[in-house]
Amino acid sequence: MEEKKLKSGFTTGTCAACAAKAAAVMLLQREAVECVQVMTPGGTRAELLLHDAERTERSAMCAVRKDAGDDPDVTDQALIYASVEYIKDSGDPERCYRNNHIFLTGGPGVGIVTKPGLACPVGLHAINPVPRKMIFEEVEAVARSAGCEGRLLVRIWIPEGARLALSTFNPKLGIEGGISVLGTSGIVEPMSEAALRATIQLELHMKAVAGQREVILTPGNYGENFLKETLNLSLAQGVQCSNFVQDSVKMAADEGLDGLLFVGHVGKLIKVAGGVGNTHSKYGDRRMEIMWDCARVHCEELAISARKRLKDQVLASNTTEEAVIWLEKAGVLKPAMITAVERMKQYVEDWSGRAVCAEVVTFTNGYGILGMTCGAENMIEAFRIREEANEMQKE
């Protein structure tokens, strides 16, 4: 059976540009509009229906509904509003981007940038460069066609934006009060790996811009919970790297970070001990084979029959937690895990081009810490001290 092709959608940036163009047509050309077209930067024509269109003598507003296609985007079906209004010739409005006689700002539900390192200046609404360019170009084209040379204010707002932002990375990135108006190609490709990697890269970039030299890297929620409950650390100084371990390490090195604390459940991290850079199961499993390879060098004192039995037990295990039980019963768990974390450390540092000094901690939910590299405790303590200092500054 052929795999169903996933349907693409349009970005919030494309939606905002469509709404802004329609509002400009309504105001400047005094025309009723039911739908509007724009050409996306990726070369796809977007034609979107309008909602809630209103016009007065000095302003016009309307909305388009975001269609993310088959991508599980939290903004899917949200209404993206835009208004265009005449403004006085004296005094520039606050918190605005400007392109000649056109000003652009955000409204409720569009987040405000509070931390440096993003594509938008601190203090302005999070309307990214490509959507800004699209909006300015579309409104400018309408103004030129209508012979309008007066100053115009374009405002973008998203009524549900503040609520939707809680399900995004915006609070971590320092974008407060709403979502971002995003897009590069103008098209939403369903849940691409490139989008996930871009998010990781942005988080690492912001950590570097904020002055961090060391960063915590963990694959997911298990690692974040372990950091909090066992190591007494939050992820404020860290990033969830999902399955993209090798890519994230390279990104950290590219950002000039020189220390990395790699923390995660052994079920995920054991793959790294075998040189697996992307830990998603679609790239292969090999967990039990790598577990055994880390253990076998410590089994010389076992009888041949006991060694063979242990090998069979580990390789037949359904989970790494089960394999851990067999290794503990054989008395080789501790040295096997020391070998595992040292191999993880070596691969991580090699992937960084030897630019990053890595320390590793791996665990299971039942056993707690299974293994940690020699310098991990010192790095953990350094993170704790910085976190406490940051908390004191907030107070």
Side-chain angles (χ1 to χ4, degrees), residues 168-347:
T168 72
F169 283 97
N170 275 16
K172 286 185 178 181
L173 297 176
I175 300 172
E176 297 181 354
I179 63 171
S180 305
V181 178
L182 300 172
T184 50
S185 69
I187 303 298
V188 175
E189 297 295 345
M191 202 58 182
S192 67
E193 289 190 353
L196 290 172
R197 281 194 290 266
T199 300
I200 296 166
Q201 186 166 27
L202 178 58
E203 287 205 70
L204 288 167
H205 175 67
M206 291 195 65
K207 296 285 189 280
V209 168
Q212 276 190 227
R213 303 299 304 166
E214 298 178 327
V215 68
I216 302 168
L217 211 61
T218 188
N221 293 331
Y222 279 165
E224 185 172 0
N225 291 339
F226 177 81
L227 282 166
K228 186 183 301 182
E229 295 168 8
T230 304
L231 300 184
N232 196 29
L233 285 172
S234 73
L235 204 57
Q237 299 178 78
V239 173
Q240 283 193 12
C241 65
S242 185
N243 294 301
F244 306 107
V245 179
Q246 185 173 3
D247 287 343
S248 299
V249 169
K250 289 179 178 178
M251 292 173 195
D254 289 343
E255 291 293 343
L257 296 163
D258 50 31
L260 193 154
L261 179 65
F262 188 33
V263 179
H265 190 281
V266 69
K268 187 70 74 173
L269 263 59
I270 195 64
K271 296 183 180 183
V272 177
V276 179
N278 188 313
T279 56
H280 195 285
S281 57
K282 72 180 180 182
Y283 296 106
D285 190 348
R286 295 177 50 209
R287 288 172 302 159
M288 304 314 161
E289 289 82 356
I290 298 169
M291 287 278 278
W292 172 246
D293 193 56
C294 291
R296 66 179 179 82
V297 294
H298 304 287
C299 295
E300 292 88 348
E301 295 183 5
L302 296 179
I304 293 176
S305 60
R307 192 183 314 156
K308 183 181 183 306
R309 183 168 59 252
L310 178 60
K311 177 182 178 180
D312 291 343
Q313 289 168 332
V314 170
L315 295 181
S317 295
N318 290 320
T319 65
T320 48
E321 301 253 2
E322 181 184 351
V324 163
I325 293 172
W326 294 122
L327 293 177
E328 185 188 37
K329 287 182 177 179
V332 297
L333 176 61
K334 185 174 180 179
M337 290 299 102
I338 291 173
T339 296
V341 293
E342 288 298 332
R343 290 183 183 181
M344 295 171 201
K345 173 183 170 73
Q346 181 177 345
Y347 276 113

Side-chain angles (χ1 to χ4, degrees), residues 122-173:
V122 171
L124 295 187
H125 288 88
I127 305 172
N128 273 26
V130 172
R132 289 203 301 265
K133 184 172 184 287
M134 291 176 69
I135 293 166
F136 281 130
E137 287 179 351
E138 295 296 343
V139 174
E140 174 62 36
V142 175
R144 191 165 52 247
S145 175
C148 173
E149 297 180 355
R151 300 187 344 147
L152 300 171
L153 175 63
V154 182
R155 188 184 309 275
I156 308 297
W157 74 96
I158 304 164
E160 292 185 89
R163 177 181 64 82
L164 295 174
L166 300 177
S167 300
T168 72
F169 283 97
N170 275 16
K172 286 185 178 181
L173 297 176

Side-chain angles (χ1 to χ4, degrees), residues 65-126:
R65 192 174 294 281
K66 168 77 176 286
D67 180 1
D70 288 326
D71 189 72
D73 191 321
V74 297
T75 61
D76 186 40
Q77 300 303 306
L79 284 171
I80 315 295
Y81 282 81
S83 64
V84 178
E85 62 184 271
Y86 296 111
I87 55 175
K88 296 177 181 178
D89 289 335
S90 61
D92 291 348
E94 295 182 353
R95 283 188 175 176
C96 283
Y97 301 97
R98 181 176 184 176
N99 184 39
N100 299 320
H101 63 115
I102 300 173
F103 296 80
L104 172 62
T105 190
V110 177
I112 294 176
V113 177
T114 66
K115 293 181 181 179
L118 294 171
C120 305
V122 171
L124 295 187
H125 288 88

